[in-house]
Amino acid sequence: MIDQSENHSVNPRTETAATFRDVLDQRLSRRGFLATGAAAGAVTVSGCADGLSPPEQGGSAPSVSFAEIERAVSDTIAYPEGYTADLVIGWGDALFPDSPAFDPMNQTAAAQERQFGYNNDYLGFIELERSGGRVTRGILCVNHEYTSTQLMLPGVAADYPNSMTAELCAAEQAAHGGSIVEIERSEDGHWAPVIGSPVNRRITARTPMELTGPAAGHARLQTNADPTGRRVLGTMNNCAGGITPWGTYLMAEENFNGNFLGELPEGHPEASNHARYGVPGGWYQWGRFEDRFNVGTEPREPNRYGWVVEVDPMDPTSTPKKRTALGRFKHEGAESIVAPDGRVVLYMGDDQRFDYVYKFVTAGRYTPGDRAANRDLLDDGTLYVARFDADGTVEWMPLTFGTGPLTEANGFGSQGEVLIEARRAADLLGATPMDRPEDVEPNPQTGRAYIMLTNNTRRTEDQVDAANPRANNGVGQIIEIIEPDGDFTATRSRWEMLVLCGDPSDATSGATWNPATSEQGWFGSPDNCAIDPEGRLWVSTDGNPRTGSNDGIWSMETEGEGRGTGRAFFRAPAGAEVCGPRFTSDGSTLFAAVQHPGDTDGATFENPGTRWPDFNDTMPPRPSVVALRRTDGGAVGS
Ligand code: FEO
Ligand code: CA
Ligand code: CA
Ligand code: CA
């Protein structure tokens, strides 16, 4: 979602005061071929001051090539000439032979549990079949991040929240979670769901799940409904995620705080913990009808959310597992990669203003081709949080009980408690408070990773630092992590600013695009990203309307002389952000999740910002997955 309105308790660590110019100069003096808004065209190249040279930039990934689309505010999608877009699946579409027809005027939990959910976010794709060199069949794993209550449900806006009923809240909960759906390509190239495929599954706020790993069973996870602290009903607010090397689907629980209402009992021991996570956020009315969403009656229930959930998409009867070893925070995503020594590394952002970037390194090693051996790899390993130093070093600091400040003296009784309060542990370690870390994606071809920092309008001049160098940052930046010798498990890495986003024609913006970037090629508020099969970076946005044009997808050069060049590829309809960009391994399809179409200022079910994709007055806008393809069947962007 575009913004988070709860009052975040700003990290207590005071940042060293530095002006924007100071920190920008530091970065430019280290390796500065980037043009600033103030001095477009100035290109300088300098060596690395710290002796930790990055891998050569040899232009290993070819530049992208397509006819850029225009910046615009419009009520439908746009893509380059020579391309086409299939509507693959959207909110309310059938997944099963017995799915009821979508009836937006009579939404029920029972119907929604058999249909594709709301507000599609993460897209994972597990390839099942190729034919004639083309990927023709696979499993799409889709998160349904949240419900825009007054846009989704008819008749509730006029008297909200009094208009909400237990039945409508249940329908909302059923629209959260995820969908697993097999899709196939027809002869003419179109992608469509296989209704009734044996893998198809809806995961909702009521799907039974298991808590595993170091925090499982901890007293702080126990509730009246679950005295074991190991059994949870459902997952919600699943933003981005990941597909593991062994083919499981990771769903990252993000703004879980919004599910809760109520008041903690006076002097309750969870008070400061809940405050650090913004609990209760009060975004939904669920707590009026269900005790578990009221912190007054179930004060520990919030501790059972904010985890990464692992799902076996091949077995719809399997129990999803909340992997507590990965820590509890507002997980944006969980993209993984196998390091040279076989350990698996997951990069994770905590999407809140002034929160942190993490990585998790498994203790065990990945065994190719042996799903059983890899099944519980995510239960044991080390969680690290990042400190971004001005000299270009990233220090990854372990959240390990008994080390540094993570001891009983600071209220941590076990590794489980360090993980339940991962944010407080990271505060004590002195992690760098970032400008809302969203997707973090490793590039297997270069040994680097890219962090989308979406924006942070609350950062003040005396809070800027090298990695977050702008106050009142409404447009965000992209940071590149360079892992030494491609070793993703490294605890000391390097970082570079790939781009400070924003309008390069505005001298006050501080934007640092490559001067080759066109009038369409720049953007604001990077959110999700994808690496295509040729190793090229693509970025989708959530908040670009602040710059006067809809959200969309841009390609982003990372190599050679073109580094820092953006190009406009796809534009979403009014009110929508674009999530989950995902390429098929042949590069022929780019899947994109169009989330919250029509959710413009003041939009309601009765008066949405657009009626994309149906443009039918009886149909509300429907969050949907599109497949972008070249009409000649070639690879996207080539
Ligand atoms: Fe759900 Fe961080 O966007
Ligand atoms: Ca978003
Ligand atoms: Ca996001
Ligand atoms: Ca991604």
Side-chain angles (χ1 to χ4, degrees):
M1 49 182 64
I2 287 177
D3 235 334
Q4 298 163 299
S5 53
E6 79 278 6
N7 284 322
H8 171 57
S9 52
V10 173
N11 190 285
R13 199 168 74 90
T14 315
E15 287 305 294
T16 313
T19 67
F20 166 68
R21 198 66 240 177
D22 288 342
V23 292
L24 186 62
D25 286 348
Q26 279 176 327
R27 305 309 302 146
L28 292 175
S29 69
R30 293 188 59 253
R31 189 173 76 192
F33 50 82
L34 299 168
T36 68
V43 177
T44 59
V45 179
S46 66
C48 291
D50 57 10
L52 288 168
S53 296
E56 275 305 303
Q57 292 191 355
S60 58
S63 289
V64 291
S65 169
F66 55 82
E68 284 189 76
I69 58 166
E70 297 298 311
R71 288 173 57 78
V73 175
S74 78
D75 64 358
T76 192
I77 60 174
Y79 42 83
E81 208 179 313
Y83 283 76
T84 185
D86 311 330
L87 192 69
V88 181
I89 191 166
W91 174 44
D93 282 348
L95 295 174
F96 309 97
D98 68 352
S99 296
F102 182 49
D103 180 356
M105 298 307 289
N106 294 290
Q107 297 180 44
T108 65
Q112 183 65 86
E113 282 166 1
R114 308 298 286 168
Q115 299 163 337
F116 192 74
Y118 200 72
N119 272 347
N120 34 216
D121 196 302
Y122 175 75
L123 299 180
F125 184 74
I126 297 167
E127 191 175 313
L128 294 179
E129 193 178 280
R130 275 187 176 228
S131 173
R134 280 281 166 263
V135 176
T136 53
R137 184 179 294 273
I139 302 173
L140 203 56
C141 299
V142 185
N143 285 352
H144 300 297
E145 186 190 6
Y146 72 102
T147 45
S148 318
T149 311
Q150 297 174 59
L151 182 61
M152 172 181 164
L153 297 169
V156 303
D159 190 28
Y160 187 84
N162 300 329
S163 51
M164 291 301 287
T165 62
E167 290 71 25
L168 291 174
C169 288
E172 274 193 286
Q173 290 172 23
H176 277 242
S179 292
I180 295 169
V181 55
E182 183 177 336
I183 59 172
E184 67 181 355
R185 227 173 154 163
S186 62
E187 289 274 302
D188 62 6
H190 283 256
W191 287 97
V194 180
I195 294 169
S197 161
V199 302
N200 288 4
R201 182 179 190 181
R202 269 309 313 282
I203 291 166
T204 74
R206 298 197 186 283
T207 305
M209 318 213 151
E210 188 183 339
L211 284 150
T212 69
H218 195 282
R220 294 177 67 182
L221 300 183
Q222 295 169 3
T223 63
N224 286 313
D226 172 33
T228 71
R230 293 175 185 275
R231 303 286 297 175
V232 184
L233 273 190
T235 184
M236 287 80 89
N237 321 94
N238 306 94
C239 198
I243 299 293
T244 62
W246 50 97
T248 57
Y249 161 35
L250 301 179
M251 306 171 70
E253 296 182 335
E254 196 192 40
N255 296 307
F256 65 91
N257 59 310
N259 302 348
F260 296 93
L261 290 176
E263 248 178 79
L264 272 184
E266 184 74 24
H268 195 278
E270 294 294 348
S272 62
N273 173 36
H274 286 356
R276 182 68 179 84
Y277 289 85
V279 171
W283 297 2
Y284 300 115
Q285 297 300 302
W286 308 347
R288 282 168 45 199
F289 307 103
E290 206 171 339
D291 280 352
R292 67 175 175 135
F293 295 119
N294 185 323
V295 296
T297 46
E298 281 295 355
R300 293 169 174 169
E301 184 74 7
N303 289 346
R304 293 143 64 84
Y305 301 90
W307 304 105
V308 171
V309 185
E310 184 172 16
V311 183
D312 180 356
M314 305 303 286
D315 178 4
T317 68
S318 60
T319 302
K321 293 181 173 161
K322 298 198 178 194
R323 301 293 189 185
T324 65
L326 277 54
R328 176 173 166 268
F329 43 91
K330 293 187 182 176
H331 282 277
E332 167 71 21
E335 297 283 3
S336 59
I337 192 153
V338 180
D341 72 358
R343 287 182 290 166
V344 180
V345 179
L346 288 92
Y347 289 90
M348 301 181 289
D350 181 352
D351 182 5
Q352 185 106 49
R353 299 175 186 90
F354 303 105
D355 263 291
Y356 307 129
V357 173
Y358 296 79
K359 80 176 171 186
F360 178 80
V361 181
T362 58
R365 288 175 166 72
Y366 167 61
T367 312
D370 187 345
R371 282 168 68 84
N374 301 316
R375 192 176 52 206
D376 294 320
L377 271 181
L378 299 184
D379 277 345
D380 190 10
T382 305
L383 179 65
Y384 299 90
V385 68
R387 193 187 70 222
F388 292 82
D389 292 338
D391 70 356
T393 305
V394 189
E395 292 290 347
W396 296 98
M397 303 175 291
L399 275 72
T400 303
F401 172 65
T403 65
L406 309 183
T407 61
E408 289 186 19
N410 283 313
F412 296 106
S414 64
Q415 181 64 17
E417 281 198 301
V418 168
L419 296 166
I420 291 167
E421 291 192 75
R423 282 185 167 182
R424 187 167 72 87
D427 294 344
L428 289 165
L429 289 168
T432 302
M434 307 298 285
D435 287 344
R436 288 188 57 197
E438 299 255 20
D439 208 356
V440 187
E441 191 123 356
N443 185 334
Q445 300 191 15
T446 62
R448 303 179 194 184
Y450 295 89
I451 307 170
M452 306 299 116
L453 294 157
T454 196
N455 53 60
N456 181 355
T457 50
R458 292 189 195 156
R459 190 177 290 274
T460 59
E461 289 289 354
D462 62 0
Q463 289 174 315
V464 299
D465 59 31
N468 304 276
R470 291 182 289 186
N472 188 25
N473 175 11
V475 286
Q477 64 264 28
I478 300 176
I479 284 179
E480 177 181 62
I481 294 179
I482 302 138
E483 299 292 16
D485 301 320
D487 180 5
F488 293 98
T489 70
T491 56
R492 186 162 191 245
S493 317
R494 293 187 57 253
W495 68 272
E496 293 282 348
M497 190 66 74
L498 177 62
V499 67
L500 294 170
C501 301
D503 182 354
S505 72
D506 173 0
T508 66
S509 72
T512 61
W513 300 93
N514 186 304
T517 302
S518 73
E519 281 176 33
Q520 295 78 242
W522 62 273
F523 56 81
S525 297
D527 187 334
N528 293 121
C529 65
I531 308 286
D532 75 15
E534 302 202 58
R536 302 173 302 193
L537 178 65
W538 299 69
V539 176
S540 66
T541 62
D542 175 10
N544 194 58
R546 278 196 199 97
T547 75
S549 178
N550 288 6
D551 280 306
I553 300 176
W554 282 257
S555 66
M556 186 71 201
E557 304 277 346
T558 60
E559 308 296 323
E561 288 185 0
R563 182 176 157 98
T565 306
R567 288 188 182 86
F569 180 76
F570 175 71
R571 197 172 66 232
E577 66 170 286
V578 183
C579 305
R582 175 72 47 196
F583 287 88
T584 51
S585 65
D586 59 0
S588 69
T589 302
L590 171 55
F591 295 111
V594 174
Q595 194 192 56
H596 57 79
D599 198 1
T600 48
D601 276 353
T604 61
F605 182 93
E606 289 73 24
N607 190 20
T610 176
R611 290 191 186 273
W612 184 89
D614 304 291
F615 293 107
N616 174 335
D617 284 348
T618 66
M619 199 55 85
R622 293 191 303 135
S624 300
V625 177
V626 297
L628 295 154
R629 300 181 289 114
R630 256 169 62 177
T631 48
D632 66 4
V636 171
S638 296

